[in-house]
Structure formats: structure tokens, C-alpha cells
Amino acid sequence: MSAENRFTLQPKRRFEETVAAIGLVVRRSDSLAITAVIVISYLTVFLWVIGDLAFRPDVTANLIVVDDPLNRMFLRTGPASFEAVALLDTGVVRLLLSPINVALGLLVASLVGINLGLTYLATVQPAACGIGAGSGLLASVPALLSGTVCCGPVVLIALGIQASGLLLTMFAWLLPLGIGLLLVSLIYVAGTIDVIGETT
Amino acid sequence: MRDGQQINGLSRRHVIRTAGSVGLAALAGCLNRSDAFGRGADEDTSVGEPPIADRSLPEEYTTDELEDASLSGGPGQDGIPAIDEPQFISAETPPTNLADGDPVFGVELNGESKAYPQYILVWHEVVNDRLGGESVAVTYCPLTGTAQGFSRGDGEFGVSGRLINSNLVMFDRGTETWWPQILARGIRGPHEGAYLEEVQVTWTTWERWRKQHPETVVLTEETGHIRDYGADPYGGYNPRSGYYENENTLFSPLATDDRFPAKEVVVGARNADGSMAVPKATLRERVVVDGTMSDVPYVTVYDEKLDTGYVYRNPDTESVESDGGDITVDGDEYDADALPLEREIAFDAMWFAWYGYYPSTEVHE
């Protein structure tokens, strides 16, 4: 594929390129390792930021499960956060297990991981010069800011920013916005990789 | 109790503050649709209604103004789950997360005493309970520092997810009327314009409450919900830190006044005569503070044992004085909570929140 038509709007071709590039990330051990580390790291940070993971070395190991977890797991605690159905104290960390939050976190973490895995490939196997490698990293930020606590977005409390109705509405959209940005970034970065060069 | 969780000296709030500074700067554009994700869980519960009080309180804003000022804090209706089946334990074996200096909200009703730890209520805001043979709701708003009790009859209260003047807006599950906590007044629904009956709640510390009420029981972490009890998403009270200490408010107050710092604690009272506030620091220092509401004399006295204040209507201008611990009324000694005067419901509140709702408040110093 030539560099000239690489960024033209050809949905079918871009989709095929993206799938091929993701396949390449998974096949290569170096990019797969990077992706796996990023997924685990991002998921850990995501759960910590939304309050589902805490460092609790002073608490004895324990497991608590709520009644009726299958129904409770779908109850919302915020615009895009859901009830925890179990609490696991390991003696080091405390995990509030919210299956939906974990699934959402895993989705975002996977997108971030693949983005950065592709970015790595783009630097070692570029199809063109001068590509931007930071889009996936930047796109990973909004989802981290989406957490709300009892009375509002935790980031606003941390920053001491006064919330307007408009800002609160924006926060409700942060998670889907983040996912959208990561998908756009994924397609963009995938187009910067010389997938064919890998097989020749 | 700790002020949030630390990881290698790095708190979650600190990290979020740093990431947020970068992230918010990077974010551009706004979305103008609300309720993108719907609301919290709506449970089909068949419950009654709270009793309506025959009372009058100051109304400085119309219902429309209050409704227009309401904002969604994020969680939907019941997204912050009230505690509907509270479990208690004796004072001898309190929850391990409860330290002597931690705030509790104490209620004594018909000879029965209960303590509700702030560190638990910060995650729930409402407890539907029975106390002294009566059904009550003990409520707490972290953003305004207000702990108030309400009679609930056959009804149950929940957290609406809306905030006005940074203050919790409750709803009753029987009629879904909105009830802003500090105002105790319905603003939307079948009970619009009606008032709730209130129950006195005392903001004190666990050690103080336990010593004055050794027979007390205390709410446990067995709430039926999974939360990170022991952590406080806003800051800490023992010692005071974060949101509870700084000047920042999450939402713009309805009205502002800079006589005191935003988070300065005042003892507030309001009734048909008007509204009044006594800075708690002044009360600690002077023990007895006189003032008026609509030219009617009032006196506020300090109870050192509980670090709280009691507000009394004093229409005959009885002489109330402090005598090194005891309070004398016309020369006779009384306990601070038992003066021979008409006692009003009073509660601690952050100054910005009290003034926001009651800009005509009298300040007694």
C-alpha cells in the first residue's frame, strides 16, 4: 500500500487494514507483550480511579458477596458506573467487584493496549514517516476522568472546579467519548503500519 | 480514620487532580444532551407517605427557582443507595473503622440512643430506621455538612441524585416528591410546598456520644451494599482535610457572603420567626450567645460534653448565663440541653450552604 492514499477515506480498506494490524499486534510476541502490560496497567489504574480498587494492607483477608448479585450488578451508581456485588480484601488491596465496571474497564484497557501496541509497531515498522504516535495515549485520558462519587465527578472535587449543568452533562459523556476517541485512534494508527512488510 | 487511601504517599485525589489538569485542558467541545445513560434503579416499592408537618419555615426562593437550580450530581435516583435495613452493634464492640475522634450523628428519641458514623453515611446519605418506637430517616449531606432527622411515618426516603445549593435533595418513595434536606420542604410532586416533621440529630464524635450515651448502639458496615468503608471520597474529618477544609464548592451557591469562610461550621435554626446562625467557634468560646429573629429573643448555649449547640426561643428574655460548665436561667442551674425554654431544631451546617438557602439569616455572635 502506498503512502499517498493511506489517509484517504476508504472505510472498507481502513477496516481491513485495522483488522490486519490488530492481527499483527497479537501475532508478534513483542507487541503482544506490550499490549498485555498496558491492558493490565490501565485496568488497574481505571479501577483505582473510579474507587473500585484501594490499597488496604491493614485489613484482614475477607470476601463479602451481596444478596441477589445478578440483579444488583446492573444497578447504576453513576452515569456509567455500576454497583459492586462483592468485596474482596486480600490483605494488601481491596477490590470492589463490579462486573459491569470491570467489563467497561477491560474494554477501554483493551482499546488502549491495542492502540499502544499498534503505536509500537508503527515505530518499528512504519509505512510512512512523520506519524503521530501519541494519539492512543491522549485518547485514553477521558475514560479515566469519568468516575463519579456520591455527589459529583471526582475529578472536579479533586481539582476544586465548580460544576455547571453543562460540565456535568459533559462528564456523563466522557466514557463513550473516550471509547470513540480510542476507536478513531486505532483506525488512524493501524493505517500507519506496514502490515505487508511483515509478511515479505 | 485515614484521609483517603495512600499509595506510596500518593493519594487517589492527588493523582486524579494531576491527570484531570491535563485531561480537562485537552478536552474541548461540549455535549448538550442530558440523561444520556438514564437514571438509577427504580424499585417498584409500595410504601406510604411521610407525615406532613403543620409548620412554617422561611421561604427565600420560589419553588420554580429551586427546581431551576437543581443539578444532577451524576448518580440517578437511588444511585446512592439509602440504608433501608440498618444493622447496629453495641458501643462496646464498635466497627473497627470507627475511631474515637470520628464524627457520628447521634439521635436520642423516647429513651433510645443510636449513633450513625459519618464514614458510613458519606456513601449512603439516608438511613431509613426506627428509633424509640418511631420511624425516622437520618440524613447526611457531605457537601453541605448537614445531618438532619425526619419523621417518615409509613414512608421511606431515598437519594434523588439531584443537588440544590450543593445540598442533598431527597425523595420519598411513596409520592416521589423532592425534598431538599436543609429546607425540609417539598418542591416537586404531590407534596410541593409541604413541610416535613424534623427530629433532632447531634453532630458529635464517637467518643463524646459514647460517654454521654453508654447505652447507645452504633450503625455497622453491614448495609447490604458494597462500598469502600473507611475511605472518604471528599476528604476527612479526623483530622479535617480535603473538601471539608478548603474553600472550594462543587456547585455555585444560591447566594454568597464572605463574613466567614465557606466551610465554617455554624449552628443553624429556622422557624416561623425566620432563620439564624451562630458560628460554632464563637459558641465554643462564649458558651451562651444571645440574638433575635424578627425581634424575638433567642439564646444558643454550648454543650461541651457533645461539642454541640442548642437553640432556645426566649420570648420573655430570661437571663441565661454560663457558670463554668453549668447554665443558669434566672439563677437556677440547668443542663445545656434542658433549659426551661422552648427548644428549636438546630443543626450544624457549612456557612456557604446555610447562607445560600437563607440569605436573610440573622447571625448571632
Side-chain angles (χ1 to χ4, degrees):
Chain A
M1 186 184 298
S2 66
E4 290 78 47
N5 65 0
R6 182 156 304 281
F7 299 110
T8 54
L9 194 63
Q10 300 175 54
K12 188 171 183 291
R13 176 180 288 185
R14 297 314 298 266
F15 177 77
E16 288 168 353
E17 279 177 355
T18 304
V19 171
I22 291 170
L24 183 58
V25 168
V26 175
R27 283 199 306 275
R28 282 183 55 149
S29 57
D30 53 352
S31 56
L32 180 61
I34 287 169
T35 299
V37 169
I38 296 295
V39 168
I40 293 166
S41 302
Y42 190 92
L43 180 62
T44 302
V45 172
F46 179 86
L47 292 175
W48 180 61
V49 164
I50 67 170
D52 283 2
L53 188 65
F55 185 58
R56 285 299 190 89
D58 54 338
V59 180
T60 54
N62 190 25
L63 175 65
I64 300 169
V65 181
V66 298
D67 295 332
D68 198 18
L70 289 178
N71 282 323
R72 294 278 290 277
M73 66 189 271
F74 295 106
L75 300 181
R76 278 197 176 89
T77 59
S81 58
F82 294 80
E83 279 285 353
V85 297
L87 181 142
L88 175 66
D89 276 318
T90 65
V92 180
V93 296
R94 163 175 287 184
L95 175 66
L96 281 67
L97 182 62
S98 166
I100 307 296
N101 286 355
V102 170
L104 287 169
L106 204 53
L107 170 65
V108 178
S110 299
L111 286 169
V112 174
I114 293 168
N115 257 281
L116 297 184
L118 287 172
T119 301
Y120 164 77
L121 285 183
T123 57
V124 298
Q125 200 166 302
C129 295
I131 53 172
S135 60
L137 205 58
L138 190 63
S140 72
V141 173
L144 288 180
L145 304 179
S146 66
T148 59
V149 290
C150 301
C151 290
V154 71
V155 68
L156 296 186
I157 294 168
L159 290 169
I161 294 173
Q162 225 168 56
S164 63
L166 190 65
L167 195 56
L168 289 169
T169 301
M170 190 191 78
F171 266 89
W173 284 91
L174 271 179
L175 191 64
L177 174 71
I179 291 170
L181 286 174
L182 285 164
L183 287 169
V184 170
S185 170
L186 192 68
I187 293 163
Y188 164 69
V189 180
T192 66
I193 296 166
D194 181 11
V195 181
I196 298 165
E198 175 67 13
T199 57
T200 55
Chain B
M1 202 170 62
R2 293 161 299 172
D3 165 29
Q5 304 310 301
Q6 302 282 323
I7 295 183
N8 296 330
L10 208 59
S11 73
R12 181 183 290 125
R13 278 192 301 278
H14 179 79
V15 171
I16 291 169
R17 185 182 304 124
T18 306
S21 301
V22 176
L24 285 179
L27 282 173
C30 297
L31 297 158
N32 57 5
R33 284 184 56 200
S34 58
D35 294 330
F37 299 93
R39 298 171 70 81
D42 291 325
E43 293 181 10
D44 182 21
T45 53
S46 299
V47 294
E49 302 179 13
I52 302 306
D54 181 18
R55 65 191 301 208
S56 173
L57 298 182
E59 296 184 8
E60 307 220 21
Y61 303 96
T62 65
T63 298
D64 285 345
E65 285 173 328
L66 292 169
E67 208 171 322
D68 288 345
S70 77
L71 292 166
S72 170
Q77 190 166 285
D78 271 334
I80 297 169
I83 301 172
D84 294 328
E85 295 178 11
Q87 305 296 310
F88 295 87
I89 198 165
S90 78
E92 283 77 35
T93 54
T96 53
N97 274 314
L98 183 60
D100 277 349
D102 287 347
V104 300
F105 313 130
V107 184
E108 183 185 24
L109 196 61
N110 302 329
E112 187 175 0
S113 300
K114 287 185 174 182
Y116 302 83
Q118 180 269 345
Y119 87 88
I120 296 176
L121 260 64
V122 74
W123 296 103
H124 298 283
E125 303 191 7
V126 173
V127 183
N128 290 301
D129 198 7
R130 284 189 62 78
L131 186 69
E134 295 187 31
S135 296
V136 299
V138 177
T139 69
Y140 168 57
C141 178
L143 294 182
T144 55
T146 43
Q148 295 169 247
F150 301 96
S151 299
R152 63 183 180 89
D154 297 328
E156 286 180 351
F157 288 99
V159 181
S160 72
R162 311 293 295 188
L163 293 155
I164 300 174
N165 193 43
S166 293
N167 184 231
L168 156 71
V169 177
M170 310 177 297
F171 76 103
D172 76 83
R173 292 176 180 152
T175 71
E176 301 219 339
T177 300
W178 283 8
W179 304 93
Q181 182 207 31
I182 290 176
L183 298 181
R185 169 180 145 213
I187 64 159
R188 196 183 80 164
H191 291 309
E192 182 181 316
Y195 287 104
L196 293 171
E197 290 177 7
E198 289 186 85
V199 174
Q200 181 64 51
V201 175
T202 301
W203 182 308
T204 183
T205 65
W206 170 232
E207 182 180 33
R208 290 175 186 270
W209 183 259
R210 190 183 69 235
K211 283 183 176 174
Q212 293 308 301
H213 299 274
E215 76 291 353
T216 192
V217 292
V218 55
L219 182 73
T220 72
E221 296 173 16
E222 293 173 33
T223 61
H225 302 276
I226 298 292
R227 291 295 184 273
D228 187 14
Y229 298 118
D232 186 321
Y234 308 102
Y237 271 107
N238 185 24
R240 195 177 292 256
S241 64
Y243 174 88
Y244 307 128
E245 181 189 45
N246 63 34
E247 282 290 286
N248 303 327
T249 57
L250 183 55
F251 303 95
S252 181
L254 288 171
T256 57
D257 179 277
D258 60 1
R259 270 176 287 182
F260 309 109
K263 309 292 174 58
E264 176 95 6
V265 177
V266 299
V267 177
R270 69 281 191 259
N271 58 22
D273 289 334
S275 58
M276 56 168 277
V278 184
K280 208 164 178 180
T282 302
L283 186 62
R284 287 189 187 106
E285 185 182 337
R286 293 184 46 198
V287 182
V288 176
V289 176
D290 293 300
T292 60
M293 277 199 286
S294 304
D295 297 327
V296 177
Y298 280 80
V299 61
T300 305
V301 298
Y302 178 62
D303 181 351
E304 188 181 8
K305 296 189 183 82
L306 290 173
D307 187 38
T308 193
Y310 308 118
V311 175
Y312 293 92
R313 197 167 191 264
N314 189 15
D316 298 326
T317 322
E318 306 276 7
S319 170
V320 181
E321 293 173 346
S322 166
D323 183 19
D326 290 317
I327 307 293
T328 61
V329 181
D330 286 344
D332 295 325
E333 285 189 3
Y334 294 92
D335 289 335
D337 63 346
L339 304 194
L341 298 168
E342 184 184 343
R343 189 169 147 191
E344 301 289 336
I345 291 286
F347 51 89
D348 289 10
M350 292 174 182
W351 169 243
F352 85 89
W354 185 261
Y355 186 86
Y357 267 144
Y358 300 115
S360 300
T361 191
E362 307 268 4
V363 176
H364 301 171
E365 288 189 275

